[in-house]
Amino acid sequence: MDKFRVRRAIAATAVALAAVLGAGGWAADTQHAVTGPPPGSAAWTADTTLGLRLPDPATATPAEVASFFEALTPAQRDALAVRHPLVVGNLDGAPVQLRYRANALALAEERDRELARATDPALTPQDHTAARTRAERYRTLLDGGRQILAFDPRGRGQVAEVYGDLATARRTAVVVPGSDIDLLSFDRAADPYGTPAGMAKSLHEATGRQTAVVAWAGYTTPVGVGPDAATENLARAGAGRLARLLDGLAVSTRPESPATLFCHSYGSVVCGLTRPGPAQASGVVVLGSPGMGIGSAADLDPRVPLWATARNGSDWIGNVPNVSLFGLGHGADPTAPEFGARPLPSTGSHGHTGYFAPGTASLAAYAAVALGR
């Protein structure tokens, strides 16, 4: 890059950041990514009650986990879920129905713990309020037989929910969200199509409920517009977690039809850095993308098709420069013809979070892609 282009990129970055920050403000607090095995893993690996060595959550592959559970009786599986709900509920490769049961147990335990904290005289009134909020959040996730595929209370909290039947659905999709998504905002009522739950429900319905959709808030997302959103640190941590989820789905669902990824905003950086192979994904769709952390579609596996949704005119992400400079920015625009992605329409969508809204051309296109058409 010559000096003129460098100066132009710096100027573009400064102008765009000024525009974005003037609208939303700079979030100064940085997030610390939740990584590593699930809570309770030490007790799990030390458990010898079955007379078997349990697979190490830190090193066992989802395929190895699946093989381990296949060799157990139903009673043995259930006993492990009861003793170690947070491990079994987050263990990619474990039977899906067993994970639902384990996460229900873990949510109930965490709800009771937060209710106790809400009346603990040693804590502050602010602690009591936060505990009540968390307890109510856990209660709502326990309501109505929800299919919680993952639940991790650490940090801001992570959760994944399934819409449809992973065991019988002909096709599977995974929604990967962007900034400001966590346990509390995963399925917020306001701006529903900007949440993984809202996107997943809308896609599930648009496919005639033929596709099972995973709403995945399984990584630490940036908060607001700030250093985390402008860099790849959280996306790199999330990419490892996403790859493991996909490997787990590959052994839990139809291996001949791996999941299609729908990656929104900063989530498209996570998907780009994951670089899924054909055993992990049938395709990748990006929307409202600031860039994918790659130079072009050629940086991805050519056997995994990439689609990019045309940016609607009211999507503020268009103000973000498509540069990668001094560790800031996420690179080339996936919607640019030279990037090499297959284009998808966005007619009828509005704003940064409107691409999954019913009646839009984008949702209709997403349904067709998810159904393998």
Side-chain angles (χ1 to χ4, degrees), residues 58-129:
T59 59
T61 67
E64 290 169 340
V65 170
S67 295
F68 169 79
F69 277 99
E70 285 173 3
L72 300 182
T73 67
Q76 289 174 320
R77 296 176 188 174
D78 193 65
L80 288 176
V82 170
R83 284 201 300 275
H84 308 282
L86 278 172
V87 174
V88 175
N90 290 287
L91 202 54
D92 292 303
V96 169
Q97 292 295 329
L98 187 68
R99 291 181 67 175
Y100 295 161
R101 169 159 164 70
N103 284 317
L105 293 170
L107 282 162
E109 288 182 5
E110 290 297 314
R111 177 201 58 198
D112 293 345
R113 189 177 73 84
E114 293 296 343
L115 288 174
R117 283 173 51 83
T119 58
D120 186 343
L123 300 179
T124 67
Q126 292 81 3
D127 292 332
H128 292 163
T129 298

Side-chain angles (χ1 to χ4, degrees), residues 17-25:
L17 285 176
V20 173
L21 298 180

Side-chain angles (χ1 to χ4, degrees), residues 56 119 127 270 282:
D56 187 345
T119 58
D127 292 332
V270 178
S282 293

Side-chain angles (χ1 to χ4, degrees), residues 246-269:
L246 297 176
D247 288 339
L249 289 176
V251 299
S252 303
T253 59
R254 296 172 183 261
E256 75 279 5
S257 183
T260 302
L261 300 179
F262 291 84
C263 315
H264 179 239
S265 195
Y266 189 83
S268 63
V269 188

Side-chain angles (χ1 to χ4, degrees), residues 18-331:
V20 173
L21 298 180
W26 185 270
D29 59 323
T30 57
Q31 303 296 303
H32 298 285
V34 171
T35 58
S41 291
W44 162 271
T45 55
D47 189 336
T48 59
T49 55
L50 293 183
L52 300 170
R53 183 176 180 178
L54 307 187
D56 187 345
T59 59
T61 67
E64 290 169 340
V65 170
S67 295
F68 169 79
F69 277 99
E70 285 173 3
L72 300 182
T73 67
Q76 289 174 320
R77 296 176 188 174
D78 193 65
L80 288 176
V82 170
R83 284 201 300 275
H84 308 282
L86 278 172
V87 174
V88 175
N90 290 287
L91 202 54
D92 292 303
V96 169
Q97 292 295 329
L98 187 68
R99 291 181 67 175
Y100 295 161
R101 169 159 164 70
N103 284 317
L105 293 170
L107 282 162
E109 288 182 5
E110 290 297 314
R111 177 201 58 198
D112 293 345
R113 189 177 73 84
E114 293 296 343
L115 288 174
R117 283 173 51 83
T119 58
D120 186 343
L123 300 179
T124 67
Q126 292 81 3
D127 292 332
H128 292 163
T129 298
R132 285 193 295 270
T133 298
R134 282 255 175 165
E136 176 60 15
R137 168 80 287 208
Y138 300 149
R139 184 197 64 77
T140 62
L141 290 172
L142 284 165
D143 281 353
R146 297 177 69 167
Q147 300 180 135
I148 304 302
L149 185 66
F151 163 63
D152 190 334
R154 294 178 295 178
R156 287 159 44 214
Q158 299 179 3
V159 63
E161 184 173 11
V162 177
Y163 297 88
D165 189 337
L166 284 173
T168 61
R170 187 169 60 88
R171 307 277 297 189
T172 305
V174 176
V175 172
V176 181
S179 298
D180 299 310
I181 297 298
D182 53 31
L183 187 72
L184 296 179
S185 59
F186 166 78
D187 56 354
R188 60 177 181 252
D191 189 25
Y193 303 116
T195 71
M199 296 181 205
K201 284 188 282 189
S202 185
L203 180 61
H204 180 54
E205 292 295 329
T207 64
R209 302 188 178 186
Q210 296 181 60
T211 298
V213 187
V214 181
W216 184 73
Y219 78 105
T220 304
T221 66
V223 172
V225 180
D228 285 337
T231 61
E232 295 178 353
N233 295 337
L234 295 181
R236 290 192 182 280
R241 297 176 77 84
L242 178 58
R244 189 170 180 86
L245 170 83
L246 297 176
D247 288 339
L249 289 176
V251 299
S252 303
T253 59
R254 296 172 183 261
E256 75 279 5
S257 183
T260 302
L261 300 179
F262 291 84
C263 315
H264 179 239
S265 195
Y266 189 83
S268 63
V269 188
V270 178
C271 291
L273 297 181
T274 302
R275 290 177 166 82
Q280 296 173 306
S282 293
V284 177
V285 177
V286 298
L287 51 142
S289 175
M292 297 183 67
I294 57 176
S296 72
D299 293 334
L300 300 179
D301 193 307
R303 296 167 295 178
V304 180
L306 172 67
W307 288 269
T309 310
R311 190 178 299 112
N312 68 57
S314 56
D315 186 346
W316 62 263
I317 204 74
N319 295 325
V320 175
N322 291 111
V323 297
S324 181
L325 194 66
F326 309 131
L328 296 174
H330 304 301

